[in-house]
Amino acid sequence: IQDWHLIDQLLNSPTGIYAHLEHGIMSDGWWYECAVGYNTWVATEFSEIALALEPWGINFKDREFPLGTTKHFSLLASRRVGGQYGMQFEKWGSLERNSVKIKDMWDAAVPFLDYRGVLPAINDAVDGKVSGKPYELAYFVYRDPEYAAIIQRGEGRDLLYGVPDLPEVTSQKMKQSAYADNMGIVQLRSQTKGRPQSEQIQATMHYGSHGGYHGHFDRTNLVSMMRYGRSPYGTLMYWYGYGSYLYKFLKQTSINKNMVVVDEKQQEPVENYRTLFHSGEMMQASVVETVSRWSYPPYGGIHYDEEQTFAERVWEEGRSIHVPEDAPEYGACTDFTKPVTQRRLMIVMDDYIMMADYLQGQEEHQFDWMFNSKGFKGVTADKVEYLRHTNQYNTDPLGSAQFIVDCDWYSVEGTSRASFQTLWGEGADNSGLRLPHSTDGALKIDVFNAWPKNAEFIVGTAPESHGVNKQLHYSIQADGETLLEDRTGAWILGADQIDLDIAGKKQLVLTTQVDNNKNNTIFWGNARLVLKDGSEALLSSLPLEFNNIVKPASAGLDYYGGPIKIAGESMKDSTPGMPGNAKEAGVITVDLSELDAVSFKAKLGGDFPMGDETQRLKSMAVRTHGTEARFLSIVEPYENESMIESVTAPNANELIVKLTDGRTQQIKFQGMESGDVQVAVSEMQNGEVIREEATH
């Protein structure tokens, strides 16, 4: 509408477009929030503004601006103070230029796009396919041949910005290893000769700037792994939304990342570094490191409504957890450790990813080497001993480990080999997750943990988002007398243990009512009567009168044909309690007149997971204790048959990998303690060295 004075204000004000560009684009071209989706989004907005300004004689698309001269990216003073909810709002990493422009943002993503034009997720993002509109716009504005190469990886064209007759361009950048020190990603790609691009292993490690509200607490995290056009893990692969208390109390925290976690706490974001980058023909290698304190995550997440308590928030979401009377301040990070040095060496070979971890603290710590993947198949080792089952990874109400449920604990000796499989397409069940853009088929993953040689091995069910949360009101009456009336947010957790005296009662009435029936989940878990003689009678074995209660198709199974598990506990002898009509109560009437019952016991809550559990996301850990920890591990992603016969670690600085084709690869490294890491690899066959390579 040509109100130029308003446009001028929008562009030139202290918090205007130009100032945002100066301070928001970092030296490596990435946007300060360090979430890959936001980078292409902001680049798109800036480019469209540039097109709008062209008729006015303003060349915004090519204009260079002085690089912001402070570490702060925010133009608001309130966003410059670190520590709020554990976050940091600074730009970290080296400065390699004096000025920035819009095109720098488009160029920044190019080396990290795979052969399909997919960008791996970092921070608050999912893998993004940018071979459509984003780079159609970029090519329309800049005519860079690299952008045309990205568009050609896509399957369709954009009608608004699509330029006809694109040049035929072959890009080499999608095959190479690369890093960005401000954004904090180092992406290693295997360089195997003679293999198609789809078989290249691509592994990405995270470090660098935190990213403010969108930042995750995961420096040294194996943040992405891709092969055959399939990506089995992402930072937001399950998602509860920005408004949920789980956003900062769970999703961004360290416990659900592929990294070593200290004391099940959250890694403090501090300036951290990449200290090695090697790209050769035989191996790709990098080291990143941080010296960080660890704390509980921000208790209850973001405190949006100052008038609301965390207990009220928990009920509002229908996601109850235990809220202790002496809970920390809402949103506060508490109980910080002393700084812990953490260093990870990652090497990508032709057939696998190798990781070496070193951690050193001033006090005794628990160290958990974490890995998250779908479709757990089992674990083998020189010796495997099943230890126990726990309903939760940890019951500590202040930590995010409480949200990992149904955990099996083992003792392992020697090299353990855990197997997983993720599916896409026919036969796949990726409900509750966000794994976009993967090619149909299977990705099998074997995880070898060769050091330490004796450790605890834990595997639990990750808190996928299936919409199971319900505000559940319930009551129990006996002979017209109300014995109990309460409520809970029944979801992954939120179950209530019930133990009531009903001696002399002739009739028991169980009532449940929910606020939604999106999924049928409510059960009276292992509901039973304790009789006067001490024996028990399961409600599921008695004649019951049901009113407005949905019954599963098969006794002993949940509503979707899987095992019944309530807050991580298997409860096959459960009685259904899900109202068919959410607007009315569901009622179960039990005749006690012939039973001489003295008490009623049950665990009332919601079933999770629903249905067949074989493809659910699992959180795996290898645990050790001490003031110092070393881990040696190999991750092998493959489609059909594993290439690895065995993995052994003679010591904490050496791995020997025997391949099924007769080759043996030896990886030696030094300097993990000092930080001056050097690596040498050699490959032998029939007793002779056929390849070798070293970092310098």
Side-chain angles (χ1 to χ4, degrees):
I1 56 178
Q2 301 189 25
D3 290 335
W4 182 253
H5 66 287
L6 296 177
I7 299 297
D8 185 64
Q9 181 180 1
L10 180 66
L11 297 175
N12 292 294
S13 69
T15 57
I17 297 297
Y18 292 160
H20 273 290
L21 187 150
E22 288 180 13
H23 292 277
I25 302 178
M26 297 184 291
S27 177
D28 59 8
W30 285 95
W31 187 244
Y32 68 83
E33 288 169 304
C34 300
V36 293
Y38 285 84
N39 197 74
T40 52
W41 179 18
V42 175
T44 296
E45 297 296 323
F46 280 151
S47 297
E48 290 181 339
I49 291 171
L51 291 176
L53 291 175
E54 277 188 342
W56 300 86
I58 294 178
N59 184 8
F60 182 38
K61 74 180 182 69
D62 297 316
R63 179 175 171 180
E64 297 196 23
F65 294 82
L67 184 69
T69 54
T70 75
K71 286 191 173 183
H72 301 294
F73 57 67
S74 180
L75 303 178
L76 302 175
S78 62
R79 297 283 180 89
R80 296 183 179 184
V81 180
Q84 183 184 19
Y85 302 118
M87 301 178 295
Q88 280 294 341
F89 299 89
E90 294 182 341
K91 296 174 287 189
W92 294 329
S94 59
L95 301 179
E96 304 293 341
R97 65 179 77 190
N98 294 324
S99 62
V100 288
K101 57 184 181 297
I102 298 171
K103 191 175 185 298
D104 294 332
M105 297 185 71
W106 293 115
D107 291 343
V110 171
F112 301 97
L113 295 169
D114 78 348
Y115 72 97
R116 301 164 297 147
V118 173
L119 191 61
I122 311 291
N123 284 346
D124 279 352
V126 295
D127 293 348
K129 193 167 188 178
V130 300
S131 53
K133 179 181 177 180
Y135 274 84
E136 293 272 20
L137 171 62
Y139 185 75
F140 180 86
V141 174
Y142 292 106
R143 296 300 200 274
D144 189 320
E146 281 287 348
Y147 303 167
I150 294 169
I151 297 168
Q152 288 165 347
R153 299 176 212 174
E155 298 174 353
R157 297 297 308 278
D158 180 75
L159 294 179
L160 179 59
Y161 293 113
V163 176
D165 302 323
L166 290 175
E168 291 293 331
V169 181
T170 300
S171 175
Q172 295 301 314
K173 291 186 177 182
M174 66 178 177
K175 302 177 182 179
Q176 300 167 351
S177 297
Y179 61 85
D181 282 340
N182 305 116
M183 168 69 165
I185 49 175
V186 55
Q187 187 161 283
L188 305 181
R189 289 169 165 147
S190 59
Q191 300 295 309
T192 316
K193 294 181 179 179
R195 287 185 182 175
Q197 188 74 36
S198 62
E199 293 188 17
Q200 184 178 55
I201 296 176
Q202 176 177 299
T204 308
M205 191 162 47
H206 196 199
Y207 63 107
S209 304
H210 178 63
Y213 276 93
H214 295 294
H216 287 224
F217 302 83
D218 66 342
R219 274 46 190 172
T220 72
N221 179 25
L222 174 63
V223 74
S224 176
M225 179 177 68
M226 296 183 183
R227 197 178 192 187
Y228 312 108
R230 298 170 192 140
S231 175
Y233 172 82
T235 51
L236 292 188
M237 61 188 304
Y238 60 84
W239 178 236
Y240 287 95
Y242 292 125
S244 173
Y245 75 83
L246 295 167
Y247 171 48
K248 285 204 174 289
F249 201 21
L250 166 65
K251 193 66 214 81
Q252 292 183 329
T253 62
S254 306
I255 199 71
N256 50 53
K257 305 300 193 290
N258 300 329
M259 59 185 288
V260 181
V261 175
V262 178
D263 297 337
E264 297 174 10
K265 290 185 174 181
Q266 175 174 286
Q267 184 190 65
E268 182 183 32
V270 295
E271 190 158 14
N272 49 94
Y273 307 94
R274 173 193 54 80
T275 59
L276 173 69
F277 178 80
H278 170 86
S279 181
E281 293 184 0
M282 188 175 177
M283 72 166 171
Q284 314 291 300
S286 186
V287 174
V288 300
E289 65 177 46
T290 182
V291 181
S292 308
R293 299 185 301 169
W294 292 74
S295 72
Y296 282 118
Y299 183 70
I302 298 177
H303 196 181
Y304 288 106
D305 182 353
E306 294 184 1
E307 303 300 319
Q308 187 180 53
T309 67
F310 179 52
E312 291 169 338
R313 182 66 186 179
V314 160
W315 169 249
E316 182 179 287
E317 292 190 27
R319 298 187 177 104
S320 288
I321 60 173
H322 174 55
V323 179
E325 292 184 2
D326 59 347
E329 179 185 350
Y330 198 163
C333 295
T334 58
D335 198 19
F336 282 84
T337 69
K338 293 180 180 178
V340 175
T341 299
Q342 185 168 12
R343 188 172 290 121
R344 170 168 279 184
L345 161 66
M346 184 170 77
I347 300 172
V348 172
M349 301 288 285
D350 293 341
D351 301 295
Y352 55 84
I353 302 160
M354 177 266 185
M355 288 176 286
D357 291 282
Y358 169 77
L359 293 96
Q360 190 270 327
Q362 302 172 41
E363 301 170 336
E364 183 90 4
H365 291 286
Q366 173 186 289
F367 301 102
D368 287 0
W369 187 97
M370 305 292 301
F371 187 81
N372 295 266
S373 191
K374 285 170 56 66
F376 178 65
K377 300 295 183 182
V379 59
T380 60
D382 296 346
K383 182 179 178 181
V384 179
E385 179 184 356
Y386 182 77
L387 298 177
R388 63 190 179 277
H389 174 275
T390 58
N391 298 340
Q392 295 169 263
Y393 197 88
N394 194 322
T395 58
D396 188 342
L398 307 188
S400 50
Q402 65 180 305
F403 302 112
I404 301 173
V405 297
D406 190 20
C407 299
D408 289 318
W409 300 67
Y410 304 82
S411 172
V412 296
E413 295 182 13
T415 299
S416 63
R417 183 174 190 164
S419 297
F420 300 85
Q421 178 176 269
T422 305
L423 299 175
W424 290 269
E426 185 178 355
D429 178 6
N430 291 318
S431 59
L433 297 176
R434 304 199 300 175
L435 294 171
H437 311 306
S438 286
T439 304
D440 287 356
L443 184 66
K444 299 175 183 179
I445 301 171
D446 284 358
V447 180
F448 299 82
N449 292 93
W451 194 277
K453 289 185 174 294
N454 298 280
E456 279 189 304
F457 178 94
I458 309 137
V459 61
T461 301
E464 296 175 346
S465 178
H466 291 273
V468 297
N469 52 309
K470 295 175 178 63
Q471 293 179 344
L472 170 63
H473 296 264
Y474 65 94
S475 66
I476 301 175
Q477 296 179 326
D479 295 350
E481 176 189 358
T482 299
L483 304 181
L484 178 64
E485 188 171 17
D486 209 340
R487 69 182 191 180
T488 186
W491 64 304
I492 294 172
L493 301 173
D496 281 355
Q497 292 281 3
I498 298 167
D499 188 350
L500 295 176
D501 182 357
I502 57 171
K505 303 299 183 182
K506 302 301 181 183
Q507 187 186 68
L508 192 66
V509 178
L510 312 178
T511 302
T512 50
Q513 188 160 7
V514 294
D515 65 325
N516 72 79
N517 54 7
K518 291 184 296 185
N519 293 295
N520 296 329
T521 59
I522 303 301
F523 285 91
W524 296 88
N526 285 1
R528 60 202 182 277
L529 303 173
V530 180
L531 307 184
K532 191 174 183 179
D533 63 5
S535 63
E536 294 185 347
L538 293 166
L539 253 61
S540 59
S541 67
L542 300 175
L544 306 174
E545 180 183 331
F546 293 95
N547 182 20
N548 190 34
I549 294 290
V550 182
K551 297 180 182 180
S554 301
L557 299 178
D558 69 13
Y559 289 100
Y560 305 95
I564 301 170
K565 292 181 179 177
I566 298 176
E569 184 176 3
S570 179
M571 315 202 84
K572 65 178 182 178
D573 297 313
S574 297
T575 300
M578 183 70 194
N581 181 354
K583 295 181 179 180
E584 299 178 4
V587 180
I588 301 173
T589 304
V590 189
D591 183 2
L592 304 176
S593 58
E594 304 293 330
L595 294 174
D596 202 8
V598 295
S599 65
F600 169 70
K601 296 182 178 182
K603 184 177 183 178
L604 177 62
D607 170 62
F608 177 87
M610 300 177 293
D612 183 4
E613 298 183 11
T614 56
Q615 294 190 52
R616 296 280 61 85
L617 177 66
K618 296 290 185 177
S619 292
M620 166 198 147
V622 174
R623 172 172 292 182
T624 187
H625 298 82
T627 58
E628 185 175 289
R630 296 290 302 272
F631 294 92
L632 293 183
S633 54
I634 279 181
V635 178
E636 181 196 16
Y638 59 98
E639 190 170 38
N640 295 310
E641 299 295 329
S642 169
M643 281 290 295
I644 296 179
E645 179 180 309
S646 67
V647 176
T648 55
N651 55 68
N653 295 305
E654 182 180 355
L655 272 178
I656 298 174
V657 182
K658 290 186 178 180
L659 303 178
T660 57
D661 61 6
R663 290 176 296 149
T664 297
Q665 295 175 340
Q666 183 182 52
I667 304 173
K668 289 185 175 182
F669 51 93
Q670 59 184 4
M672 290 297 290
E673 295 87 350
S674 66
D676 183 17
V677 179
Q678 299 177 35
V679 185
V681 297
S682 60
E683 182 176 271
M684 291 155 285
Q685 193 164 32
N686 299 323
E688 295 184 2
V689 175
I690 56 176
R691 285 197 301 171
E692 56 186 354
E693 189 173 295
T695 60
H696 300 288

